[in-house]
Amino acid sequence: MSVKPSKLPPFDPSDPLGIDDLLDPEELAIRGTVRSWAADRVLPHIAEWYEKGELPGIRDLARELGALGALGMSLQVQYGLACLELEAADSGIRSLVSVQGSLAMYAIHRFGSEEQKQRWLPGMAAGEIIGCFGLTEPDHGSDPAGMRTYAERDGTDWILTGRKMWITNGSVAGVAVVWAQTGETAGGSGIRGFVVPTDTPGFSAPEIRHKWSLRASVTSELVLDGVRLPADAVLPEATGLRGPLSCLSHARYGIVWGAMGAARASFEAALDYARTREQFGRPIGGFQLTQAKLADMAVELHKGVLLAHHLGRRLDAGRLRPEQVSFGKLNNVREAIEICRTSRTVLGANGISLEYPVMRHATNLESVLTYEGTVEMHQLVLGKALTGLDAFR
């Protein structure tokens, strides 16, 4: 008995694989809400913010994102969709949310005491309190075990001394999660996390200027000059590198989605331009070489979205391994940069103008490529997983 085939839906250039079929109504609604917010509050201003190298009104933006429910979301596919839409506006906006939710809030939620959670998390979820995460140092990025920031006991108190570098949200944060050596055990296993109110004497966060990437983002140095903290400032459930690295894995997951947002915005700009820009008497989208570029970009973009979706379902099910996050971060950021660069060639000289989003996304992704794990580190994570042999040391 033959079955009459149903009528095929029309081909949708914005969703050529029908990935939206994998999303439930609530997920689609959240995506639409965040996309509308970004279109209203970010896109009209982002080129100016980027050109000036500032993010004015960051506290208002944080409160609005809190009202949207974008800070500390519990369902990870929903969080990923929010990251995609935020980074389609700008990587700096997604970084604000990632550091707030996946690093600072996650560290307190996962490793903090009940008192720490009650004191900080409600205000952070509402965007009333901005958080930052101090792990990277001027001389130690990919090797956090070598950090020099030191926490020394003085009676029941701790005294923190050191510096952290390239800290998103640092100079506007009300609370910092800072990781430091304690000397309690050797080999990095004595690293502990501290919840540091940023008004504590000895704490300062000078802003880093003269960036050519993530310009619409607050980036700071953290200076800890004999910062005295009570015993209950320690994250009680985090000992050694397991704590900060698990936070990074959580944040990298958001990057897997976010990078595809930057790629999508650049691809859409190139596609629209190819349909309207005329050379030799016809739109450039009608030439074979331009269509080849568009086809290749569409393939990599939507493969990346499918990968992010798959990892999100695994995370919601409690089955996502750190190596799989490395897989996603390595692939999606690398492909997103290539999509931006190819989009720039479709736009020609217009591709370098801030009237289009392409160059802004490309330069932002140069930072995303190396923060929270360089290409080389994620390659080695996967290499170790594949071979069983550790090439780090």
Side-chain angles (χ1 to χ4, degrees):
M1 180 178 176
S2 61
V3 178
K4 185 177 181 179
S6 59
K7 184 179 180 180
L8 291 176
F11 183 82
D12 182 358
S14 67
D15 184 22
L17 295 178
I19 297 175
D20 280 2
D21 293 348
L22 302 176
L23 303 177
D24 63 34
E26 184 177 1
E27 290 164 344
L28 290 169
I30 288 172
R31 185 184 69 180
T33 297
V34 177
R35 183 180 294 183
S36 295
W37 178 85
D40 178 56
R41 291 290 285 116
V42 179
L43 290 181
H45 315 290
I46 189 62
E48 180 183 359
W49 296 345
Y50 183 91
E51 189 167 27
K52 291 183 177 180
E54 63 184 21
L55 185 57
I58 183 174
R59 299 182 192 280
D60 290 336
L61 292 174
R63 284 189 285 267
E64 291 173 25
L65 287 163
L68 289 178
L71 304 178
M73 297 177 77
S74 59
L75 294 177
Q76 297 308 315
V77 170
Q78 294 181 5
Y79 170 66
L81 291 166
C83 286
L84 188 150
E85 295 303 329
L86 292 171
E87 193 145 357
D90 192 79
S91 299
I93 305 300
R94 197 269 309 147
S95 291
L96 163 64
V97 170
S98 287
V99 170
Q100 178 85 344
S102 293
L103 291 179
M105 289 180 65
Y106 180 78
I108 296 171
H109 172 75
R110 174 67 179 81
F111 301 111
S113 66
E114 191 60 34
E115 181 181 358
Q116 289 167 339
K117 295 175 187 178
Q118 292 299 320
R119 178 180 179 184
W120 297 109
L121 292 183
M124 295 176 77
E128 296 293 337
I129 301 171
I130 296 176
C132 67
F133 185 88
L135 180 63
T136 297
E137 297 188 353
D139 298 318
H140 293 88
S142 295
D143 181 20
M147 72 175 64
R148 295 177 183 174
T149 298
Y150 192 81
E152 183 179 13
R153 283 192 180 274
D154 183 20
T156 59
D157 290 349
W158 290 92
I159 299 178
L160 270 63
T161 302
R163 296 167 61 203
K164 301 296 182 178
M165 200 69 174
W166 304 114
I167 308 303
T168 297
N169 300 345
S171 61
V172 295
V175 62
V177 175
V178 176
W179 302 90
Q181 300 275 12
T182 64
E184 294 178 327
T185 50
S189 58
I191 290 172
R192 302 297 301 270
F194 296 83
V195 181
V196 184
T198 59
D199 60 359
T200 305
F203 180 97
S204 60
E207 190 168 351
I208 297 172
R209 301 289 185 176
H210 310 300
K211 301 177 298 178
W212 285 114
S213 180
L214 290 178
R215 290 176 57 77
S217 177
V218 174
T219 309
S220 309
E221 178 184 9
L222 303 186
V223 179
L224 301 114
D225 185 9
V227 174
R228 180 178 290 272
L229 298 169
D232 62 6
V234 178
L235 292 171
E237 302 301 322
T239 302
L241 283 174
R242 179 180 65 90
L245 292 183
S246 66
C247 296
L248 288 176
S249 183
H250 202 259
R252 288 163 182 160
Y253 164 75
I255 292 173
V256 175
W257 283 94
M260 291 297 98
R264 187 193 74 195
S266 297
F267 169 73
E268 288 177 346
L271 180 59
D272 182 66
Y273 191 85
R275 288 166 169 164
T276 57
R277 171 71 168 181
E278 291 191 2
Q279 292 291 289
F280 305 103
R282 60 193 291 199
I284 62 173
F287 292 101
Q288 291 182 356
L289 291 178
T290 302
Q291 289 194 358
K293 291 178 180 181
L294 295 170
D296 286 347
M297 287 192 288
V299 167
E300 295 305 326
L301 168 61
H302 294 282
K303 281 165 55 179
V305 174
L306 275 175
L307 172 57
H309 182 92
H310 171 67
L311 297 183
R313 294 301 187 206
R314 291 188 65 82
L315 183 54
D316 279 336
R319 295 175 53 82
L320 184 64
R321 293 188 55 83
E323 298 92 342
Q324 294 166 340
V325 179
S326 287
F327 193 116
K329 205 263 186 181
L330 175 64
N331 179 81
N332 282 15
V333 181
R334 196 161 57 181
E335 294 302 327
I337 286 181
E338 189 58 35
I339 288 170
C340 290
R341 291 171 177 165
T342 303
S343 295
R344 212 289 297 165
T345 69
V346 173
L347 271 71
N350 284 322
I352 70 169
S353 169
L354 282 177
E355 293 183 15
Y356 299 89
V358 175
M359 184 60 75
R360 175 169 52 83
H361 283 304
T363 56
N364 283 339
L365 286 172
E366 291 292 345
S367 291
V368 180
L369 184 70
T370 54
Y371 73 21
E372 298 185 27
T374 65
V375 167
E376 294 81 3
M377 296 304 293
H378 289 296
Q379 287 173 323
L380 294 180
V381 167
L382 290 176
K384 179 181 177 181
L386 292 168
T387 66
L389 302 174
D390 190 347
F392 286 93
R393 295 176 177 82

